[in-house]
Amino acid sequence: MNITNDIITAYIDSFYKSANPRLMELRQFAEEKHIPIILKDTEGLLLSILKIKKPERILEIGSAVGYSACCFADGCGCSVTTIESDRETYEAALVNVRELGFSDEVEVLYGDARDVLKGMSAEPEGIFDVVFIDASKSHYREFWDLALPLCRQSALVICDNVLMKGMTASDEYDPGRRYKTSIRRMREFIKYITHLEYADTCVVPVGDGVSVSVIDKDVYEG
């Protein structure tokens, strides 16, 4: 289900274009196999933000098959560190990164992001300009809290799928109550990040819902 409606989504998607034919092939493959990757309108928004931000380093939590990491590296010439917890998907991401020619720009790490991020805490603080969270929706708060020490001043933290096909906004989109725990946790997360003194956050109904937060590390550290 689209969070706006099918007509609007189809209209926006009709303008989609990729400057990299091999990335387009990977997108088509993922869509045909129902592999979750960033939606077309989400990709357009993120690439526009990244071109304005001009990040040197991006941290991605949730690699899937490596599409978005390669897309970011291709779109803004930055380096990307991406984390994937599923072994099979991680292996696919490694192959795709290599075959698409981004081995020098994209580093794929395997493991539960919570453990990997704790291990990265030994790194110097403030090494990432952008954090992109697109993994288990129930753990967004944990990913956020663990990633914050790794952010530079005025870093962006971008979270995908925060509206969860409309379920975050209303229980009517989950009539069987199958996702009530994930919904509750996402609602708590959105309330959390929109009330932080050190984060200026907006939530936009693009794709499946995207939150964009600008981090003030002086306030965070204080």
Side-chain angles (χ1 to χ4, degrees), residues 99-113:
E99 292 188 347
L100 287 168
F102 291 106
S103 295
D104 292 337
E105 293 86 5
V106 178
E107 177 187 27
V108 187
L109 304 178
Y110 170 70
D112 185 314

Side-chain angles (χ1 to χ4, degrees), residues 24-37 65 67:
M24 188 63 191
E25 289 177 7
L26 180 56
R27 167 174 282 284
Q28 292 171 341
F29 171 81
E31 290 175 346
E32 290 170 3
K33 299 297 182 181
H34 303 290
I35 299 170
I37 61 172
V65 293
Y67 175 82

Side-chain angles (χ1 to χ4, degrees), residues 7-24:
I7 295 174
I8 293 173
T9 299
Y11 175 72
I12 294 172
D13 285 351
S14 70
F15 298 105
Y16 177 82
K17 59 181 179 180
S18 175
N20 188 321
R22 299 188 69 185
L23 269 173
M24 188 63 191

